[in-house]
Amino acid sequence: KISSEKDAFAFLRDLLTEKELEEFAHRLTIAHMLHEGYSYKEIEKTTEVSSTTVARVSKFLQGE
């Protein structure tokens, strides 16, 4: 059971490489921004990810 931010970070650090953690963080940010109503262009500019990545996260959130 993960009960703190420290525990969550340690758990994810054990599972993922540094690069994977970075990508995961970007995708969480994208998901949050999509939920808040930001446009794809705003998200691309803010996160410096491709429109393809934004679209993938959006599709996942829509259950596709």
Side-chain angles (χ1 to χ4, degrees), residues 1-11:
K1 185 174 182 178
I2 297 173
S3 58
S4 71
E5 186 176 322
K6 183 180 175 183
D7 289 344
F9 179 78
F11 175 73

Side-chain angles (χ1 to χ4, degrees), residues 5-39:
E5 186 176 322
K6 183 180 175 183
D7 289 344
F9 179 78
F11 175 73
L12 291 172
R13 187 65 187 108
D14 286 346
L15 292 177
L16 306 170
T17 66
E18 194 68 33
K19 181 68 177 164
E20 290 169 332
L21 276 173
E22 187 177 308
E23 290 175 20
F24 183 68
H26 276 126
R27 290 179 182 189
L28 283 175
T29 299
I30 293 165
H32 176 73
M33 291 179 79
L34 286 167
H35 180 74
E36 293 295 315
Y38 286 86
S39 71

Side-chain angles (χ1 to χ4, degrees), residues 31-48:
H32 176 73
M33 291 179 79
L34 286 167
H35 180 74
E36 293 295 315
Y38 286 86
S39 71
Y40 278 33
K41 289 290 180 195
E42 290 171 311
I43 295 169
E44 288 173 52
K45 185 175 181 180
T46 302
T47 61
E48 299 180 348

